[in-house]
Amino acid sequence: MEKNIIPIIILITLLYMVLSNIKKEKKLYNLAYIDPITGLGNFNFFIEKITENLTKSNNSTSYMLMLDIKKFKSFNKKYGHEVGKLILESLGNRLSSILPDSAIVSRFSSDVFGVLLTSSDIDYFIDIITDKTKYIVIGEQSYSLQLYIGVYKLVDTDFDAYTIIDKSKIALELAKEQIVTNVAFYNSDIEKQVLKEQEIESIMEQALLNNEFKVFYQPKIDLNCPNNICAEALVRWHSKNRIISPSEFIPLFEKNGFILKLDLYIFEEVCKALVFWKSKYNKIPHVSVNVSKEHFYVKDFIVQYAKIVKKYGLINHNIELEITESATVNDNIDIFEIIRDIKKQGFLISIDDFGTGYSSLSMLQSLNIDTIKIDKSFVDVIDIQKPNKNIIQDIIFLAHKLGLKTVAEGVENKAQLDYLKGLNCDFIQGYYFSKPLEKEDFEQIGKPFY
Ligand code: C2E
Ligand code: CA
Ligand code: CA
């Protein structure tokens, strides 16, 4: 009897060791490859699986999808992190259940999921994903969800999992910028754009330190008083290799937040120029400066502007701030409060690109502003033959009725100028009179009037 018990004990111990090793390995595997919230694979899992798939040669069509929940952060804030986790779990389950078994579904991070799907009908699956993830029910409550979806179609030469994921990410970024739909497909043009943006982002900070951003001044002609020297300050980037146009970097800087620094830098440069002109001619031209709508999300942003004015001993009412009309119709900000704050600091305000931003007339009446800048698109279509067909006359009439000054932008020929003069437009800005000029050249234009 005793003789038999020893091998049994050894056997049990061995069995125990083997089992606990399996358990340990499973634990290690889970830690390395399984997402604890959804039970799906994680990023590492996805990389391994997709790499396996790439080595198998097959003729089927595959797509890499990257999904991201719209405004998930505010979701978490509103309902709490526990609900957030449950939503992620449900979404993971939902995706697994609506997609074919062959699909690889993983959660990469926070609210970002990756899917590798083999199918010849991607539109069908996009519709299914969009439709079946609209609502997630947890307990008694139903939560409405929207997904951004970036799609990349794999090609024969794809062999690197990371490149494929990057391409779907580029498509996802594009999906987030769409207005009508939340879905976007990768194409090489976007990639070029992304690379260009990355290049700009890598040099922008240093460029600011190197004083590569210059202020140009485009004269504004006061039709009632030609001796009144006015200008709009416009930024130009003299990079080492080329001059980069604002249209290439302003939208990007608005996206990445760098515009906040750049605008203040330009504003300070303008103040320096005003001080210089004051000491040289004892007269200060009236200059307007563009202020991006991104400042409106920064509490007390205008105090920074006022501080700069004070630093240079200037008076705020010599300086006009241009804010775009589209910024005044944004639900996320209180434009009345912002305008009140700007006015409290004594600045003049003009509404830029007027006519393109769908602000209501009643709003215009209640906003305490000084000037309307009529967008170039209205000036472009001035047709002398059909003077009543253009709403410029209505805008000018209405602006004057409200006691506001009007500037017409982008005036390029005499016919436009004459037409606008006939409507009593107050200021003219455009290539017909002058392009934006370097400080010294602008000074030469203004000289006779000082
Ligand atoms: P914007 O504020 O509407 O400025 C007017 C734009 O029209 C300028 O382009 C100007 O050069 C151009 N322009 C003026 N007259 C004519 C004309 O007769 N014909 C044509 N075809 N164009 C004319 P620019 O300098 O390229 O600036 C583009 C936009 O970039 C500006 O539009 C403004 O929104 C933004 N921007 C420029 N500088 C700054 C800045 O310092 N801060 C911010 N936040 N935005 C700026
Ligand atoms: Ca402007
Ligand atoms: Ca404008």
Side-chain angles (χ1 to χ4, degrees), residues 232-234 288-291 322-324 350-353 373 409 429:
E232 173 177 9
L234 292 157
S288 61
V289 184
N290 290 286
V291 174
E322 295 197 8
I323 60 180
T324 55
S350 69
I351 301 293
D352 203 357
D353 305 338
K373 296 192 79 178
E409 290 190 290
Q429 182 181 349

Side-chain angles (χ1 to χ4, degrees), residues 200-242:
I200 290 182
E201 285 185 325
S202 70
I203 55 174
M204 62 190 189
E205 295 274 0
Q206 195 55 47
L208 190 64
L209 295 174
N210 295 349
N211 300 320
E212 288 177 22
F213 293 99
K214 311 263 181 236
V215 185
F216 274 49
Y217 295 86
Q218 185 174 35
K220 276 188 276 189
I221 309 308
D222 185 341
L223 291 177
N224 303 313
C225 174
N227 289 3
N228 181 20
I229 305 297
C230 305
E232 173 177 9
L234 292 157
V235 63
R236 295 287 177 269
W237 183 355
H238 290 234
S239 146
K240 283 186 193 91
N241 321 320
R242 63 187 177 110

Side-chain angles (χ1 to χ4, degrees), residues 110-305:
S110 175
D111 58 334
V112 179
F113 290 76
V115 173
L116 186 75
L117 183 68
T118 300
S119 163
S120 53
D121 192 355
I122 187 68
D123 292 339
Y124 167 78
F125 281 107
I126 287 174
D127 285 348
I128 289 263
I129 294 175
T130 310
D131 191 51
K132 301 282 184 197
T133 58
K134 266 188 191 148
Y135 298 100
I136 299 273
V137 179
I138 291 166
E140 306 269 285
Q141 188 152 355
S142 167
Y143 300 89
S144 88
L145 230 61
Q146 276 192 62
L147 293 181
Y148 291 116
I149 308 179
V151 188
Y152 170 65
K153 184 180 180 185
L154 274 67
V155 292
D156 291 344
T157 47
D158 277 323
F159 55 86
D160 177 44
Y162 291 96
T163 313
I164 291 167
I165 293 173
D166 280 351
K167 288 184 171 171
S168 69
K169 186 158 189 254
I170 287 172
L172 178 66
E173 293 308 318
L174 186 72
K176 290 181 185 174
E177 286 170 14
Q178 309 280 315
I179 295 167
V180 190
T181 148
N182 294 325
V183 182
F185 282 72
Y186 168 88
N187 68 55
S188 55
D189 287 348
I190 328 170
E191 182 161 24
K192 273 188 215 132
Q193 173 72 14
V194 169
L195 290 175
K196 207 162 105 187
E197 290 189 356
Q198 283 171 350
E199 207 244 336
I200 290 182
E201 285 185 325
S202 70
I203 55 174
M204 62 190 189
E205 295 274 0
Q206 195 55 47
L208 190 64
L209 295 174
N210 295 349
N211 300 320
E212 288 177 22
F213 293 99
K214 311 263 181 236
V215 185
F216 274 49
Y217 295 86
Q218 185 174 35
K220 276 188 276 189
I221 309 308
D222 185 341
L223 291 177
N224 303 313
C225 174
N227 289 3
N228 181 20
I229 305 297
C230 305
E232 173 177 9
L234 292 157
V235 63
R236 295 287 177 269
W237 183 355
H238 290 234
S239 146
K240 283 186 193 91
N241 321 320
R242 63 187 177 110
I243 296 183
I244 310 175
S245 134
S247 60
E248 272 185 67
F249 60 83
I250 298 278
L252 172 66
F253 289 177
E254 291 195 323
K255 220 165 41 176
N256 66 21
F258 190 63
I259 194 71
L260 302 179
K261 259 193 205 175
L262 180 64
D263 273 356
L264 284 164
Y265 173 84
I266 294 295
F267 185 75
E268 182 151 2
E269 289 299 297
V270 169
C271 288
K272 283 182 197 164
L274 294 181
V275 170
F276 173 75
W277 286 322
K278 191 178 170 194
S279 68
K280 197 165 171 187
Y281 303 107
N282 199 27
K283 197 170 170 189
I284 293 185
H286 180 110
V287 176
S288 61
V289 184
N290 290 286
V291 174
S292 165
K293 61 182 184 313
E294 295 307 310
H295 292 277
F296 300 167
Y297 300 101
V298 181
K299 198 171 169 339
D300 294 334
F301 83 94
I302 197 63
V303 173
Q304 287 175 282
Y305 278 82

Side-chain angles (χ1 to χ4, degrees), residues 323-329 351-360 372-380 391 395 409:
I323 60 180
T324 55
E325 189 199 13
S326 57
T328 64
V329 281
I351 301 293
D352 203 357
D353 305 338
F354 188 80
T356 59
Y358 311 104
S359 64
S360 70
I372 280 177
K373 296 192 79 178
I374 303 163
D375 192 67
K376 179 176 184 300
S377 55
F378 295 97
V379 175
D380 286 344
I391 65 164
I395 297 177
E409 290 190 290

